[in-house]
Amino acid sequence: MLDEFDWELHRRGLRFVRYADDSNIFVRSLRAGQRVMASVRRLLERRLRLLVNEEKSKVARPEEIHFLGFRLRKAPEGTVEVHISARTKERLDARIRELTPRTWGQSLARCFAEANRYLQGWIAYFRICTEESVALFHRFDAHIRRRLRAIIVRQKKRPRHLLPAPRALRRKRGCCRTDGLLPSRRLVPE
């Protein structure tokens, strides 16, 4: 049924994208957007006999529109940038809190497996985002790591259990290094 809608938009020469019953139509000005919105509404309601959801339908700039979790923006060079929408960021934050509760009563392996499964799918879906969104991925990565460390500390009951293994490993190897600030050097065995 919506194929006829696609053909009509194509016949009119409009730039559009549609997934299932969600669609965006791109025009150059606000006035053109209002004109196209009125004609598309008439097409859908009269010819195709479909209802248009007034709450979700609007004429707006691409930066303000959330479509399938993405937000589009025109770069100064004239290219189109793909970003993650604000609503998607909020949903991911909420889902991370669900996957990594502070009172995780099961094994850490299960927590890691559930978080990995969700995050791998999420990253695969949002991989098409442009370079500007990479900083957001790093922020979420750091947030997830902090939450997982909090679970580990809570399960061990003492914060000192968070770092002894890496320290002991460094002592065993016989080298001392502080995050790349100082050059590594051999310690004299005691």
Side-chain angles (χ1 to χ4, degrees), residues 8 16 24 61-62 71 81 90 94 96 106 111 131 135 142 147-149 154 158 164-165 168 179 181 183:
E8 182 63 26
F16 68 97
N24 285 347
R61 300 195 53 80
R71 181 177 53 90
E81 295 176 346
E90 292 169 7
I96 288 171
Q106 301 165 23
C111 179
E131 293 292 323
R147 301 237 356 142
L148 292 174
R149 279 195 299 270
R154 176 109 179 169
R158 294 183 198 109
D179 297 329
L181 298 176

Side-chain angles (χ1 to χ4, degrees), residues 12-185:
R12 294 181 185 185
L14 296 171
R15 293 183 178 149
F16 68 97
V17 60
R18 183 176 69 83
Y19 181 79
D21 63 343
D22 294 335
S23 63
N24 285 347
I25 302 170
F26 300 99
V27 293
R28 294 202 176 267
S29 67
L30 179 65
R31 189 171 173 191
Q34 292 167 343
R35 186 179 63 245
V36 168
M37 175 71 115
S39 69
V40 164
R41 182 174 286 130
R42 279 193 307 270
L43 169 76
L44 289 171
E45 290 176 350
R46 291 182 185 165
R47 192 187 311 171
L48 300 179
R49 295 187 178 142
L50 296 172
L51 291 176
V52 176
N53 188 342
E54 297 297 327
E55 294 173 3
K56 293 182 179 179
S57 302
K58 63 181 175 181
V59 176
R61 300 195 53 80
E63 296 90 16
E64 301 166 5
I65 294 177
H66 166 92
F67 184 66
L68 302 176
F70 296 101
R71 181 177 53 90
L72 303 176
R73 196 183 103 197
K74 187 175 180 183
E77 305 88 39
T79 60
V80 175
E81 295 176 346
V82 181
H83 296 278
I84 297 171
S85 71
R87 195 163 71 182
T88 302
K89 293 175 196 173
E90 292 169 7
R91 284 183 181 173
L92 179 64
D93 273 337
R95 185 69 177 140
I96 288 171
R97 282 191 296 277
E98 287 175 20
L99 289 171
T100 58
R102 292 188 183 269
T103 56
W104 183 263
Q106 301 165 23
S107 71
L108 286 174
R110 182 159 181 211
C111 179
F112 291 156
E114 287 182 18
N116 277 338
R117 187 179 62 211
Y118 177 76
L119 293 170
Q120 285 173 353
W122 192 87
I123 289 170
Y125 181 76
F126 288 102
R127 183 170 281 145
I128 67 169
C129 290
T130 51
E131 293 292 323
E132 289 74 21
S133 295
V134 171
L136 179 70
F137 288 127
H138 292 302
R139 188 178 71 79
F140 281 127
D141 181 51
H143 180 59
I144 292 164
R145 289 173 187 269
R146 276 191 304 273
R147 301 237 356 142
L148 292 174
R149 279 195 299 270
I151 291 172
I152 292 169
V153 168
R154 176 109 179 169
Q155 282 192 352
K156 296 290 186 178
K157 306 282 194 257
R158 294 183 198 109
R160 71 172 189 235
H161 287 290
L162 192 57
L163 286 175
R167 283 186 194 149
L169 208 64
R170 285 196 299 265
R171 274 191 229 115
K172 187 175 181 181
R173 288 186 186 152
C175 62
C176 176
R177 191 167 175 195
T178 44
D179 297 329
L181 298 176
L182 300 173
S184 69
R185 58 186 167 151

